[in-house]
Amino acid sequence: MAAPKYEIRAFRPGDEEGILATFNAVFGENDPAFVPRTRAEWDWAFAKNPAGQRIWVAECEGVIAAQCAALPYRVLLDGKPASFTQGVDSMVHPEHRKGLRRPGLYVETAYPFFRQFGGQGADLLHYGWPVEPAWRIGRTFLGYQIVRTQIIHVRELEPGARELPRGVERVARFGADVHALYLRCQAQWGASVIRDERYLNWRFADHPRFRYQVFGVRGAAGELVACAIYRRADRPYPGSGLIMDWLVPEDELEAGELLREAVLAQARSDGARAALVVFPEWSRWNAVFQEWSFHLHSSNYLLIGIVQDPRYDTWWLREHWWYQLAELDVV
Amino acid sequence: MSPITVEARAFQAGDQAHLHAALERARAGAGGTGATRTLAELTWRYAAAPHGARVAFALDAEGVLVAGLAATRHRALLEGREGFWLELGDLFNDFRRGAGLARTRGLVLAGQAFAERFGGASADPHPLVYGLPNRRAHRLGLKHLEWEVLRSENELVLALEREPRRAADATLTLQEVECFPAEVEAAFRAFAEGRAAILVRDAAYLNWRYADRQGAGFARVLARRAGALVGYAVRCDDRLLDWVAAPEDEGLVAALLGWACAGARADGHARLTAVMPDTAREWLAFQRLGFRVQGTREFLCFKSFQRPAIMSWLFQHWSYTRGDTLR
């Protein structure tokens, strides 16, 4: 039998349904709880992302046999605009896997992806939280390096209030004032995804599957001075109340306390067993949350990166990159 | 391209002088950055280690040492079996030699020879090499020698003003000592039950690590119950470097921490720090005692030559303290 012929190429309009079919075949394999991804969800992630689209595929006789894809994010890096990408949906169709073939179809699809999108002046960092087999392939063939072995702030939920504290409001959609809040926060950060109205509404308010709760605290003039985004989830642990994003200036401790209480109240109402959040260890909030009875737990999550600019490395990212669960697509 | 000769062998008397000179050349080639090593430190680290050391040296046509690796050999337990692990102390390359890719050829050849000579399938096998590299060695090791990161290291920090107070365990006596007695290994063996990967804490190792090193300023304490040695701790400045204390023996843990806090306070420090894996049983227990987690600039790195010592397994099962990687 002749070996299959693959066309490895950038995404073209019309690939959407083929990518979806392969995605649902790959990620639904051996997972009875898998809920197939819809076209609306694909469109949200790859067609409506305000930072653009990054997809390469391997096609074989009309089937999307493999994909290397990422979600791009606009970032501020040392105060200047740049872009990072999060690797997502790495896959090879079950009928196109050949265990002993090295480097394998995924890697062959990834090489031109990184040639197009990597390198100086392009996406500075490609990051992800891969499972171990993907980590091993990426380390061997694509230059993955560990930025951080992730630890997670966890607070077991005790009985308590289920109503939002006074001074905290629910925010349905972000307005322009959130960018000013972000700029205030990012003065402490060397690199961060730009949290503006466009990004945050896409990431949270417009998400087609997950429902997020946004809590805000406003100042005397009605401006947003702090906000926290929350979601009840069963990842990474069953019964998690996830703080997805914590946009609170370090000197707004009182607003932080109000938002903490709002998150805990919502988590209790949702029947969550624990509240979870991640912070870079250098952030003041790492210490503050420990004072707020959050303990740091180990996890199996590896934050990996391919740093595509020689002026930066994993050491720098570990010490300067502010990220949250918001930057992890699966939650 | 000039010829490179590689020697991969046991550390020999006199190697420390060549190594010292090579490290200085490599440091100068890196613009004088990085910590210096003294000859006495290299003698202690490699020549005086209880189970010796292993090196791979790359020499140029004139016999000048231009790149290499040096590692101390330690007894270790891996799933109940005893063997030897290598703690990499020095990884160096003189970047003034050669140009382009040739600049790292010596290091690559030395690294390959080191892995072949001392790896899992060799006549002198070691399942694991590990170390806590600086930024330059980290880059070299990952790029050229197939090293892996095991953990971005964090430390537990206790503000001494928050030291937990509890009633003393009257059954325990603490004794500061100059060196460790042979019976310490029995306490270690009890502590190591259920710990699948750990360096063996015998008297030879502990005395080499914490008594024989010149000018290091270690304080050592033994804990006894009814005369039997049940635990120990080692402190230097504000760092709790090593301990053996079953986490469920709360009296013992409290006594050793109390000793370490008192010593740190007497030395003028406001805090006590400790390093351990975030998977250790003590990790959450120490947080409940008031320790807080802070980041460090350290990445614990390794190269594995034998299953089960792959990353995910080691991450879960290797028990270590800051002393295991003390520079």
Side-chain angles (χ1 to χ4, degrees):
Chain A
M1 195 168 71
K5 287 202 169 67
Y6 296 102
E7 183 191 3
I8 295 175
R9 56 169 175 77
F11 170 87
R12 288 198 297 245
D15 286 337
E16 297 88 342
E17 294 299 336
I19 291 172
L20 257 181
T22 298
F23 178 91
N24 288 329
V26 168
F27 292 95
E29 212 180 8
N30 307 318
D31 182 1
F34 177 73
V35 179
R37 177 178 284 177
T38 64
R39 176 63 189 268
E41 288 168 351
W42 190 93
D43 284 345
W44 169 82
F46 295 102
K48 297 178 182 171
N49 182 337
Q53 188 184 67
R54 308 280 191 274
I55 305 173
W56 271 68
V57 297
E59 184 188 345
C60 179
E61 296 174 355
V63 172
I64 298 299
Q67 175 183 250
C68 180
L71 298 178
Y73 298 95
R74 293 172 297 123
V75 301
L76 275 185
L77 182 79
D78 283 335
K80 298 191 180 92
S83 59
F84 287 178
T85 55
Q86 181 198 357
V88 296
D89 302 352
S90 305
M91 60 189 183
V92 177
H93 194 287
E95 291 170 11
H96 293 268
R97 290 178 196 150
K98 293 195 173 78
L100 296 178
R101 201 162 68 97
R102 306 282 274 182
L105 191 57
Y106 170 72
V107 172
E108 287 175 2
T109 310
Y111 284 150
F113 173 97
F114 286 109
R115 276 197 296 274
Q116 178 177 356
F117 299 121
Q120 213 159 335
D123 297 326
L124 189 135
L125 171 72
H126 180 85
Y127 73 90
W129 278 273
V131 295
E132 183 161 356
W135 151 243
R136 301 230 148 261
I137 292 169
R139 184 178 75 88
T140 303
F141 296 107
L142 301 174
Y144 285 10
Q145 288 193 27
I146 290 176
V147 177
R148 177 177 281 109
T149 49
Q150 191 67 56
I151 50 176
I152 303 175
H153 287 72
V154 178
R155 175 169 160 173
E156 307 294 329
L157 280 176
E158 69 285 2
R162 290 167 179 254
E163 300 79 36
L164 295 192
R166 283 171 61 89
V168 176
E169 66 178 64
R170 292 183 189 274
V171 178
R173 290 190 72 81
F174 290 95
D177 56 350
V178 75
H179 189 238
L181 171 58
Y182 161 72
L183 291 176
R184 237 182 110 189
C185 293
Q186 71 87 40
Q188 315 290 329
W189 308 334
S192 59
V193 169
I194 297 170
R195 281 146 162 86
D196 59 9
E197 180 181 6
R198 202 164 148 227
Y199 162 73
L200 289 169
N201 282 330
W202 167 76
R203 176 64 184 87
F204 296 112
D206 299 337
H207 196 287
R209 181 177 293 201
F210 302 138
R211 185 161 168 265
Y212 300 94
Q213 310 283 336
V214 182
F215 304 116
V217 175
R218 295 197 181 272
E223 79 285 12
L224 198 60
V225 296
C227 79
I229 302 168
Y230 161 93
R231 183 186 154 223
R232 167 75 167 79
D234 287 318
R235 296 175 77 160
Y237 312 119
S240 297
L242 304 178
I243 299 176
M244 297 294 304
D245 210 23
W246 184 259
L247 201 54
V248 185
E250 290 191 352
D251 56 359
E252 293 282 2
L253 195 59
E254 282 183 30
E257 287 169 344
L258 287 172
L259 290 172
R260 175 201 67 203
E261 290 307 308
V263 164
L264 294 177
Q266 185 67 50
R268 288 186 197 103
S269 291
D270 290 349
R273 295 208 285 266
L276 281 73
V277 64
V278 299
F279 291 111
E281 296 84 17
W282 45 262
S283 159
R284 183 188 181 200
W285 296 111
N286 169 52
V288 169
F289 270 69
Q290 291 182 72
E291 296 308 317
W292 290 349
S293 301
F294 283 73
H295 287 140
L296 271 300
H297 286 238
S298 183
S299 85
N300 292 326
Y301 290 89
L302 306 174
L303 175 59
I304 65 91
I306 305 173
V307 187
Q308 303 179 109
D309 183 324
R311 292 171 297 178
Y312 298 93
D313 64 8
T314 52
W315 287 55
W316 188 91
L317 287 166
R318 182 182 174 194
E319 293 171 4
H320 296 91
W321 177 23
W322 168 271
Y323 62 88
Q324 295 275 274
L325 289 172
E327 277 89 323
L328 174 59
D329 69 309
V330 294
V331 291
Chain B
M1 200 177 283
S2 59
I4 294 279
T5 309
V6 174
E7 296 176 5
R9 55 173 172 73
F11 192 92
Q12 297 168 355
D15 277 345
Q16 57 266 44
H18 299 296
L19 179 58
H20 184 254
L23 289 171
E24 284 302 302
R25 286 193 297 274
R27 193 167 164 275
T33 56
T36 55
R37 291 281 207 203
T38 66
L39 194 56
E41 186 183 359
L42 295 173
T43 301
W44 163 78
R45 183 173 290 276
Y46 302 120
H51 300 288
R54 298 290 183 266
V55 296
F57 289 155
L59 306 143
D60 69 7
E62 287 80 44
V64 176
L65 179 50
V66 295
L69 305 85
T72 313
R73 205 159 167 261
H74 302 304
R75 288 172 73 195
L77 294 174
L78 190 64
E79 288 201 311
R81 292 188 304 278
E82 188 160 329
F84 290 96
W85 292 2
L86 290 166
E87 177 197 358
L88 195 75
D90 289 289
L91 183 156
F92 61 96
N93 189 64
D94 184 352
F95 279 95
R96 292 176 304 189
R97 302 273 174 154
L101 289 176
R103 294 199 312 165
T104 52
R105 192 164 63 95
L107 180 67
V108 171
L109 292 173
Q112 289 169 347
F114 190 90
E116 287 165 14
R117 180 78 173 77
F118 309 125
S122 70
D124 183 14
H126 301 81
L128 188 74
V129 186
Y130 73 91
L132 208 59
N134 62 23
R135 196 169 190 160
R136 178 178 291 272
H138 176 270
R139 187 166 62 244
L140 290 171
L142 266 62
K143 184 171 181 184
H144 298 294
L145 305 179
E146 297 179 339
W147 279 68
E148 293 184 58
V149 169
L150 184 70
R151 181 173 274 113
S152 53
E153 208 64 84
N154 297 297
E155 64 182 356
L156 291 155
V157 180
L158 177 68
L160 293 180
E161 65 194 20
R162 299 165 54 146
E163 180 190 352
R165 300 287 178 187
R166 56 168 285 159
D169 182 339
T171 66
L172 281 171
T173 57
L174 299 187
Q175 176 193 13
E176 292 203 0
V177 292
E178 289 300 310
C179 60
F180 289 89
E183 63 192 299
V184 74
E185 187 170 347
F188 161 73
R189 294 279 172 186
F191 175 77
E193 281 290 324
R195 295 175 193 256
I198 189 168
L199 291 190
V200 173
R201 272 89 166 135
D202 59 9
Y205 169 80
L206 291 169
N207 286 326
W208 168 79
R209 181 75 87 181
Y210 303 118
D212 300 343
R213 191 172 183 179
Q214 289 182 7
F218 299 115
R220 299 152 291 259
V221 71
L222 303 179
R224 294 181 185 276
R225 192 175 269 134
L229 202 162
V230 293
Y232 72 82
V234 181
R235 179 190 63 84
C236 182
D237 299 325
D238 64 353
R239 297 174 299 166
L240 179 61
L241 294 175
D242 201 357
W243 67 90
V244 154
E248 61 274 13
D249 189 342
E250 293 178 6
L252 177 59
V253 171
L256 292 175
L257 282 179
W259 168 83
C261 287
R265 191 178 287 114
D267 286 351
H269 300 288
R271 60 182 213 160
L272 181 72
T273 69
V275 167
M276 66 181 76
D278 47 50
T279 50
R281 280 183 286 167
E282 292 89 344
W283 172 261
L284 282 172
F286 272 44
Q287 290 183 64
R288 293 191 180 104
L289 288 171
F291 282 80
R292 298 290 179 255
V293 179
Q294 292 185 4
T296 74
R297 302 198 73 208
E298 297 165 347
F299 287 93
L300 179 60
C301 293
F302 75 104
K303 183 173 172 65
S304 164
F305 297 106
Q306 178 185 311
R307 284 182 176 272
I310 61 170
M311 187 208 171
S312 55
W313 189 90
L314 278 172
F315 184 83
Q316 289 295 333
H317 296 290
W318 180 10
S319 296
Y320 58 83
T321 65
R322 177 172 255 153
D324 293 15
T325 51
L326 202 55
R327 291 197 189 114

